Structures are given as structure tokens and as C-alpha cells.
Amino acid sequence: MTEPVALQNHGTVRAFYQVLANTAIANVTSSYLWWALTFWAYLETRSVLATAIIGGSYMLLVAVFGVVFGVIVDRTKKKAVMVLSSMITLVTYLLAGALYLSFPESVLVNWGGPWFWVFAGVILVGGVVENLRNIALSTTVTLLVPSDRRDRANGLVGAVQGIAFMVTSVFSGLSIGLLGMGWTVVIAIVATALALCHLFFVPIPERGIAHVEGAPKDFGFRGVIPAIVVVPGLLALILFSTFNNLVGGVFMALMDPYGLTLFSVEVWGVVLGVTSIGFILGGALVAKFGLGKNPVRTMLLVNIGIALLGMTFAIREWWWLYGLGILVFMCLMPIAEAAEQTIIQRVVPFEKQGRVFGFAASIESAAAPLSSFLIGPLAQFWLIPFMNTRAGQDSLGWLLGPGEARGIALAFVAASAVLLVVVLLAFVSKPYRRLSSAYAEAPPSIQAQGEAASADGSTPEMEVTHLPSTR
């Protein structure tokens, strides 16, 4: 096994908490503006298609740049990666502010014209670059947290993301409803600048950059695929998560339009904020109890719960049923995320984890735009009109009940039913058994030697640590 790049001790764990807090600040800011853009776009255009394109474009860019981001993380010190991410985000938000000042809002809200998409695209780029920081955070868990605490650390990551989601969803709705898009952009610029300043004072005690002798120097897939296929069942895990995101694209495109059908924008933001307590609860459960001996099994069980939930939380147009469903959904999501991250952190060597996380983000995210781009026009031009007709009500009214958003509910039920079938098949598959065995047989930590060596608490600096090839 390879030598650690950072030596783990109590000091590095404290550093992880500081990194996590700073990432929370950055995530709050990017999520705040992203949610605000989605609310603003739907309220001004009343187009499900426009919001589907915006959401799908975000996931598509994450997919395109995931591997590149992962390689950057592997070949750069983690703090430098986070600083770079914050700086690019700040520049894009400044550009969005300049665009808002340069054109009347009536021009920017015309989604048939170019400036709506330029304005949305600039904000979108700032949010996409934030994923560079998130990949770095996943590898920082391996770098700074002892192996027996990583699942709980991943739970804390989920809880912090839940707090960010709760704060931003409330503030985004209130901001668009009370202040408008212009002041919302100004707030995002100021918050991003403050987060960047704070980051300069956040320590990440990293001894150097890990390299594998003979590893390829390009930014493609050559160094990624071997690191994945060498672990039995890991590729199947990523493909399963990819399919999960394919179904998730349906929810990504339609959850906001459905919510804005039931609530005003101010109330919908509050509903998202309150229900995002589920993120905190789910992350806290993982932080407290871990993921059990087999995180692979835990992840599949969670996805069964998600599928059953998706089939029921919109079968009637009741605001409390939808709100309760979102609460449970958000409680389950950080558990599934923590399971996947914990598996990769254990079975993949540290020096390759950035590109593996990036590759997983790429192909998993590529699925959501496909379904989002498909379901947007499908819902807009077929499902919603069909369920508003007498024929639609006569054929499916017994299942979905009456209401103006029954077409969206039909999309939720159908996508969730497909997910349930796939999860049940995954449980009896050979890759599930192979990956479960690989996780159980993997060494507890690639950094066990470093933990023992760091008893004096020192973290001496070095420029580069060359690691022997594990091939």
C-alpha cells in the first residue's frame, strides 16, 4: 500500500472541521443563487421546459468537467483547488451582476431571446465550478480523517450540506419574492467574496501531492478506468448510481414546478428550508451510527425507500403529503451519498481518488440531463395536458386523484416504479456480492502507517511525494 500524503492526528481532524465549515459557506452561497435563478426563471416564464433546460444544463456541465476536475484535485494541493474554485465563482457572479445592470429585466426574462440564456449560463458556470471544491472535500476526508471515522465524517458532510440547503432554499424564495433577482445577485457576490477571504485562513496540513510513478499525465480516462475496474463491482456501483441519477433527473426538472403549483414562491422556499432538516437528520444518523458493516447493502436499501417514496408523495395534491415526502427524501439522500463515498475512500488508493470521484460525478451527472431534457417537453406538451382532459382523469384519476398538476405526479410515479425494479434486480446481482466482498477484504486504511507515524503531531512540508505504482 502507498504512503500517506498527510499524517493523520487530532490536528488534521480539527483541520477537516474547518475545511467543512468553509465549504458550507461556499455551498450556501452557490446554492442560494442557483435556487433563486430556478425560482425566478419559472415565475417569470411559467415554463417547465425552461427550468428543465437550466437544470439539465447544470448536470451536463458537471458531467463534462467531472474527470478534469478530478485530475486537477489529484495533482494540486487541496487548498489551492478550493481557492481556485472560489475565485472563478466570484468572477462569474460579478459578470452576472454586470449583465443584470446592462439590460432591462424584461429582456433578461425573455427565454426565447439570447440574454436570458447568457445570464442563466453565467450563474450556472459559477455553480458548476463549485463541484471542483466538492471533489476536493471528498478526498480531504481520506486525507485528514482516520479510516474508522470516515463514514461518520461523510455523514457530517451530508449534515452540513443539509444546513446549507435549508438556509438557501428559505432565503432564495424570500429573496426573489421580496428583493428581486438584482439584489439577490448582489448578495451572492458579497457572500462569495467573504467565503474566499475566509478560505485563506483555513489550514489544510498537506505534506505534498501524491503521484504514482509511471502514471499518465493527461487529463483523460487513462488513469481512471484501471483504478475502477481493478476493484470488483465498483464500476457496477457507479453505473447503478448513474441510473439512479437518470431517474433523479425527472425529479430535478419537476419538483420546483410542482411545489410552485401548491405554494407561493415565498412559502415554497420556506417549505424547502423546513424539509431540508431531513438532510441534517440523515447526515446526523450516519455521523452517529455509521453505515454498518456493508455500505453497499445500506445504499441499496436506501434506494428502495426512495423508490417507494417517489411512488406515493404526489399521488394526491395535498401540500402536507408533498412536504412530508420531501422531508423523508432529503433524509435518505445523505445516507446514500455517504455510502458511495465511504466505499470509494476505502477501496481506491488515495492518489487516484480525485479522478475516480470526478469520473463518478461525470457519468452519474450525465444521466440527469438526459432525463431532464426529455421529461421537460414530455410533461409540458403531453403529460400535463393529458391529465387535464376527461380521458386522463377517467384512466388514471383513481390512482392520482384530481388537480392541475396530475401530469407531474404521473411522471414521479412512473420513474420511481422503474427505479424500484432496478434496485431489486441489483440486490440479486453478482456485482453486488463482489463489491461487498471487496469492501470487506480491503485494508482498513491506506493511511494506517501514517496514523501511527504521526504520534508527535508534526506535519512537515514537502513539495511532492512520489508513490510507488500499485499496479
Side-chain angles (χ1 to χ4, degrees):
M1 275 296 164
T2 62
E3 279 288 329
V5 184
L7 302 180
Q8 294 172 340
N9 50 46
H10 294 298
T12 61
V13 174
R14 286 195 299 270
F16 165 73
Y17 292 141
Q18 295 185 57
V19 171
L20 187 60
N22 182 264
T23 301
I25 298 172
N27 284 346
V28 163
T29 305
S30 62
S31 296
Y32 165 75
L33 189 55
W34 176 251
W35 281 104
L37 174 67
T38 304
F39 296 161
W40 177 76
Y42 181 73
L43 291 173
E44 295 295 338
T45 66
R46 290 293 173 179
S47 171
V48 172
L49 181 57
T51 58
I53 292 174
I54 290 173
S57 298
Y58 173 85
M59 301 302 291
L60 182 62
L61 287 176
V62 171
V64 169
F65 289 102
V67 173
V68 175
F69 287 170
V71 174
I72 291 173
V73 168
D74 280 342
R75 295 180 179 172
T76 312
K77 288 192 174 183
K78 306 305 175 275
K79 181 171 180 176
V81 169
M82 294 180 177
V83 169
L84 174 65
S85 173
S86 292
M87 291 181 67
I88 295 176
T89 299
L90 178 59
V91 170
T92 60
Y93 290 173
L94 286 169
L95 182 56
L99 286 170
Y100 193 88
L101 292 175
S102 301
F103 297 94
E105 187 162 313
S106 59
V107 174
L108 292 179
V109 300
N110 178 19
W111 73 288
W115 292 112
F116 172 87
W117 298 108
V118 172
F119 179 71
V122 168
I123 295 174
L124 182 147
V125 169
V128 169
V129 173
E130 186 67 24
N131 282 276
L132 182 61
R133 169 193 283 270
N134 293 333
I135 293 173
L137 178 63
S138 295
T139 63
T140 303
V141 173
T142 309
L143 182 71
L144 302 177
V145 179
S147 59
D148 59 347
R149 296 170 60 182
R150 284 186 196 139
D151 56 349
R152 291 167 170 79
N154 289 322
L156 286 176
V157 172
V160 167
Q161 290 173 342
I163 294 172
F165 188 94
M166 177 178 64
V167 171
T168 55
S169 57
V170 173
F171 287 170
S172 296
L174 293 175
S175 186
I176 291 298
L178 301 177
L179 301 177
M181 193 63 189
W183 281 109
T184 299
V185 174
V186 171
I187 293 171
I189 291 171
V190 173
T192 302
L194 292 175
L196 178 60
C197 293
H198 174 256
L199 181 60
F200 288 118
F201 299 96
V202 175
I204 300 181
E206 187 175 3
R207 290 183 58 179
I209 305 166
H211 296 296
V212 180
E213 294 176 359
K217 302 299 183 182
D218 60 272
F219 281 78
F221 292 89
R222 290 177 56 198
V224 182
I225 301 301
I228 294 174
V229 299
V230 74
V231 180
L234 182 57
L235 181 59
L237 169 71
I238 295 175
L239 291 177
F240 172 79
S241 297
T242 300
F243 178 83
N244 195 7
N245 277 17
L246 189 67
V247 175
V250 175
F251 292 89
M252 178 183 69
L254 300 179
M255 281 186 71
D256 281 331
Y258 190 85
L260 290 170
T261 301
L262 301 179
F263 308 98
S264 69
V265 64
E266 295 91 345
V267 174
W268 176 233
V270 173
V271 168
L272 287 176
V274 173
T275 55
S276 64
I277 294 173
F279 271 123
I280 302 171
L281 293 175
L285 287 173
V286 177
K288 176 67 175 178
F289 300 107
L291 295 165
K293 293 182 178 180
N294 187 355
V296 187
R297 180 174 180 272
T298 301
M299 188 182 72
L300 292 183
L301 288 173
V302 166
N303 276 279
I304 288 178
I306 291 173
L308 294 174
L309 179 66
M311 295 172 66
T312 56
F313 80 143
I315 58 172
R316 291 295 183 273
E317 208 160 284
W318 299 334
W319 66 267
W320 62 266
L321 178 63
Y322 192 56
L324 180 62
I326 294 175
L327 175 67
V328 178
F329 176 78
M330 291 183 179
C331 186
L332 294 175
M333 288 305 296
I335 303 175
E337 284 288 326
E340 182 179 6
Q341 291 189 9
T342 301
I343 294 165
I344 293 175
Q345 287 161 354
R346 177 150 176 168
V347 300
V348 177
F350 174 75
E351 71 276 3
K352 297 181 180 179
Q353 284 183 12
R355 65 200 71 188
V356 171
F357 277 119
F359 175 80
S362 283
I363 69 167
E364 291 169 16
S365 299
L370 295 178
S371 55
S372 182
F373 289 146
L374 176 63
I375 199 62
L378 189 64
Q380 181 86 17
F381 301 118
W382 184 63
L383 292 179
I384 294 175
F386 172 71
M387 288 305 299
N388 286 332
T389 65
R390 173 61 63 182
Q393 282 294 310
D394 289 344
S395 59
L396 293 170
W398 63 272
L399 175 65
L400 301 174
E404 61 176 308
R406 296 303 81 206
I408 296 177
L410 177 59
F412 289 156
V413 171
S416 301
V418 173
L419 175 62
L420 179 61
V421 172
V422 172
V423 177
L424 292 176
L425 291 175
F427 252 121
V428 298
S429 67
K430 185 177 180 180
Y432 163 71
R433 296 190 296 272
R434 294 177 65 194
L435 183 58
S436 297
S437 298
Y439 182 87
E441 296 168 3
S445 173
I446 63 170
Q447 299 183 346
Q449 299 173 12
E451 292 170 18
S454 62
D456 62 353
S458 61
T459 55
E461 291 290 331
M462 61 176 65
E463 289 299 319
V464 178
T465 302
H466 289 281
L467 303 175
S469 174
T470 57
R471 291 176 295 176

